Amino acid sequence: MLLRYFNKTGIKRFISYRDELARNKQASPPREMLEDNNLTIQLDVDVEIELRDFSNRREAGEYLCEIVSKSGLERPESNVGLWSWLTLFFIDQVCPPDSKGNRTAYAFERLVPKVDDYQKFYRHLLLGPYLLVRAYENDISSILAVLCNPVYKPGEIVGQLASRKELFSNKSVLKLATCLYYDEEKGSFVRGAGSDKKGAPRRLAKVLNQLELTYYLHGMSDSEIGALLPKEFDRFKNRPDRSAA
């Protein structure tokens, strides 16, 4: 299929589907919209896009960067029609059906990007990974804590940091989160990273918010920020599989 993007009418129709899904978990995805000339706009160039099963957010972000870079669109990250179209195209990745065919209608901003809301645009299930991979393509390994989960399940770390642009756009903060909570050998989070106990991501976000009042975190390395964390984080900082942050 050729990559397209929804016009204003197409966006409204997609939003209607999302609302219907909230009422009826078995509502069939209106895939016919993807090539409807009344609802979509064709690109000036032909860009082939294929359905893929992404193992995690990193794979999704890398493929989306590859596809979107060919589109010729200016400021694609602000194109609501593009990301809504991509969401429908990859609907089985962002809203996978269970064994009974039920899909979860996630929060609005996870399926329809709020590109003008800096507290929410990173929450979109496809735009978020795309922005992260595009920004850190030369050092992906340092931010795997926000890219290792499935597309439809960003995880606690993303949930806690994504609402604060100052934190989520700070590479040192993302690198620190990876050092604390990501197990490179397992390719997933360490035990306890998804809890709300001491030293877990929820506490990290609160502590970083407090530190921002005193320190300019954007000018600090992950090690320097890590050194300011209270002792409750030591159980993650001093893990044997990684050096201390």
Side-chain angles (χ1 to χ4, degrees):
M1 183 180 294
L2 294 180
L3 177 66
R4 301 186 181 205
Y5 60 96
F6 285 135
N7 57 26
K8 290 183 179 180
T9 303
I11 294 172
K12 291 180 180 179
R13 287 278 297 275
F14 179 69
I15 291 174
S16 295
Y17 166 66
R18 184 266 163 198
D19 293 343
E20 181 185 0
L21 191 61
R23 299 187 297 269
N24 175 16
K25 293 183 177 181
Q26 293 191 344
S28 299
R31 292 186 173 90
E32 67 279 359
M33 289 174 55
L34 294 170
E35 296 184 285
D36 189 326
N37 290 327
N38 294 317
L39 302 175
T40 63
I41 297 174
Q42 298 184 40
L43 300 176
D44 293 333
V45 294
D46 289 346
V47 179
E48 288 284 349
I49 185 170
E50 61 183 35
L51 287 173
R52 292 191 177 185
D53 292 328
F54 304 120
S55 299
N56 50 47
R57 284 161 52 85
R58 175 182 180 175
E59 287 187 7
E62 290 175 339
Y63 182 63
L64 290 169
C65 280
E66 175 188 338
I67 292 299
V68 174
S69 66
K70 299 175 182 177
S71 69
L73 293 171
E74 294 185 8
R75 300 186 71 244
E77 67 276 7
S78 300
N79 191 319
V80 177
L82 173 66
W83 296 101
S84 298
W85 189 95
L86 286 168
T87 299
L88 179 57
F89 185 81
F90 289 113
I91 193 68
D92 289 338
Q93 294 285 298
V94 296
C95 295
D98 62 17
S99 59
K100 296 182 180 180
N102 295 322
R103 299 177 190 267
T104 299
Y106 295 108
F108 184 91
E109 64 270 14
R110 286 192 170 198
L111 301 183
V112 183
K114 293 197 170 184
V115 297
D116 296 324
D117 188 335
Y118 73 91
Q119 291 185 317
K120 294 183 177 180
F121 72 97
Y122 265 109
R123 295 182 180 179
H124 189 268
L125 293 174
L126 295 179
L127 178 58
Y130 163 80
L131 290 171
L132 287 167
V133 171
R134 191 181 69 171
Y136 302 111
E137 61 180 343
N138 295 322
D139 196 12
I140 292 294
S141 61
S142 68
I143 64 165
L144 289 178
V146 292
L147 289 171
C148 66
N149 262 21
V151 171
Y152 66 92
K153 189 178 180 182
E156 180 72 5
I157 296 174
V158 174
Q160 293 303 318
L161 298 181
S163 63
R164 291 295 309 277
K165 184 180 179 181
E166 296 83 356
L167 298 180
F168 211 61
S169 62
N170 187 332
K171 181 180 178 180
S172 294
V173 167
L174 300 184
K175 188 172 182 179
L176 173 62
T178 298
C179 288
L180 291 174
Y181 307 121
Y182 182 73
D183 187 323
E184 188 172 352
E185 184 176 337
K186 289 167 50 179
S188 61
F189 298 120
V190 299
R191 180 178 298 179
S195 70
D196 57 359
K197 297 181 179 179
K198 290 184 177 181
R202 189 166 300 181
R203 277 290 296 152
L204 178 65
K206 291 181 179 179
V207 170
L208 291 175
N209 286 335
Q210 294 171 348
L211 290 175
E212 270 196 316
L213 300 176
T214 307
Y215 299 91
Y216 179 59
L217 300 185
H218 269 280
M220 302 173 66
S221 68
D222 58 297
S223 296
E224 290 171 331
I225 299 173
L228 299 175
L229 298 180
K231 291 185 177 180
E232 67 181 87
F233 290 90
D234 286 352
R235 67 191 184 106
F236 291 107
K237 290 171 63 177
N238 300 327
R239 284 165 30 220
D241 60 310
R242 294 196 86 129
S243 58

